[in-house]
Amino acid sequence: MGDAGLIIFGPIGREVLSFGTIVFAVFATGGQLLAGQIALGSLSNNTLCLMLYTGIFTIPTFLCALPRTLDRLSWLSIPSVLSIMVAGLIGMIAAGLYPVAGRVTSNFVSTDFVTAFISITNPVFAYAGHFMFFILISEMKNPRDAMKAAYVLQGFATIFYAVFAVILYVYIGDGVASPAFTSLPIKWQKAAYGIAIPNFLIAGSLYSHTAAKLLFVRFFRNSKHLHEHTLIGWSVWIILILLMNAAAFVLAVGVPIFNYLIGIAASLFASWYTYGIAGAFWLYDTYHYEGGSRAWRRMWVNSTLSVLTLLAGGFICVAGMYVTVKSIIDAYGAGTISAPFSCG
């Protein structure tokens, strides 16, 4: 992402987008640690301090992020995908077998802007993995295959997310919690969370790996430490992985509500990395490689969509941060959430 920023916006763009990618990856790791905390708490009936669950989950996340190349780490993604698929199926089956009595489902709900936009940040974050495409493509044997993978990913994820969300909403109603597994009967909830743990673990590892990789490449570009197994190279790599996971841990226990942490990450970063900057990429490529402004006019539909995507990113960023910060302040004021770094 930083190299793309260099092409479009110059040296400053490179630094801004590189820094944002690292911070975003740490936020995303924190989100996975918080998901792991919720899963471990559910499995053990919350008998331990919540911060301790987060710390426990941070350890295997750190260990899984240690491989220095994605060809080794990517194999772990297979059980990760299978685990979330099976967990999702369990969630849908449980919701169908044990629907909430007297549930209310509404096609349209009258609510305030803050509540509505907090809900929007969840699907925004669900598609926030785009920023990792550059890292993945850089290590592919044939980078041209990247688009095939992207189409499969987007197609499958969109269908699976939509079917899962609709089924749980129909059978649970307006009171469905976040994460949705928490709304299931306790035995099914534990089964779903237990099977989903590998997904939370590997996703967190990939995010922290990405954050560390950007710094590692910057430190050792054109150096033997980048490609060879040297003491200095491995020492720095382990320290970077440790720092990224430590930062994510601090973030997860500092913002102890999943919805709010997701809201911050979606607003600050996903708004641009998944939406806004994508529009800028298309406009830049079309202008420089397809014939300048004439190409924009010729492909006016795509040009309009790109501009709207850019504007949408800006709106999600500003509005999302406003509603998330306001919600956090209101929640602390009302005493509905515990203080940061507490057991909860």
Side-chain angles (χ1 to χ4, degrees), residues 38-60:
I38 295 169
L40 293 178
S42 173
L43 291 171
S44 61
N45 298 317
N46 291 309
T47 55
L48 300 177
C49 168
L50 294 182
M51 188 164 61
L52 183 57
Y53 286 127
T54 311
I56 292 171
F57 201 75
T58 303
I59 296 172

Side-chain angles (χ1 to χ4, degrees), residues 113-114 267 317-327:
F113 177 76
V114 172
S267 303
C317 178
V318 175
M321 277 306 298
Y322 167 74
V323 301
T324 303
V325 171
K326 187 178 187 305
S327 297

